[in-house]
Amino acid sequence: MAAKLAGQGGGRFSLGQNSDINVTPFVDVMLVLLIIFMVAIPAATVSIKLDLPPAVPPPPGTKVKDPVLINLQAGGAIFIGDHATSLDTLIPDLSAKLSADDPSLPAPQQRVYIRADKSVRYGDFMAVMNTLQGNGFYQVALINEELG
């Protein structure tokens, strides 16, 4: 920061007009805002608890079971894998399939994947989701495929 000690003309102690900007208040305000943001930003980040699978891959030679897929087609048809079912028989068929795949774990605690055509009505999709949740199936994952 520079100071103007002598002016042009005038008296011996005349400082004249100073047109330089005083940046000290500006810097002070910026430093205060920086401190405020440094304190406020960590408080604004809230952690969300997610139920993620472990990042450790299974040991070599371990057979990974195929996931159980519920496929919804545009006409309203529902399939568990390749087996056709309906909304009324979805839970018994799904429980039988899950029990056959892994009898050590109760069927509602196993993960189920849902894949739907893009032309499936939202109401049909939500009917399947509500049926699953109403019968205790909370480990439901949605399959999203990249559009080529």
Side-chain angles (χ1 to χ4, degrees), residues 4-117:
K4 190 172 185 180
L5 298 177
Q8 291 178 334
R12 180 176 155 161
F13 296 106
S14 173
L15 294 178
Q17 205 171 32
N18 186 0
S19 62
D20 292 336
I21 297 174
N22 188 1
V23 295
T24 303
F26 177 71
V27 171
D28 289 344
V29 169
M30 288 299 117
L31 289 174
V32 169
L33 287 174
L34 176 68
I35 292 170
I36 289 172
F37 285 124
M38 286 173 58
V39 170
I41 294 293
T45 58
V46 178
S47 64
I48 298 172
K49 182 157 175 55
L50 296 176
D51 182 20
L52 296 176
V56 179
T62 304
K63 184 180 177 190
V64 179
K65 67 179 187 105
D66 292 332
V68 175
L69 292 175
I70 297 175
N71 296 308
L72 302 174
Q73 291 185 345
I78 302 172
F79 290 89
I80 298 175
D82 295 332
H83 176 69
T85 187
S86 67
L87 193 59
D88 298 329
T89 60
L90 175 65
I91 298 303
D93 291 344
L94 182 60
S95 296
K97 172 76 172 160
L98 290 173
S99 296
D101 287 350
D102 189 5
S104 65
L105 196 62
Q109 292 180 1
Q110 296 184 35
R111 187 169 306 275
V112 177
Y113 294 87
I114 296 180
R115 179 174 50 199
D117 279 349

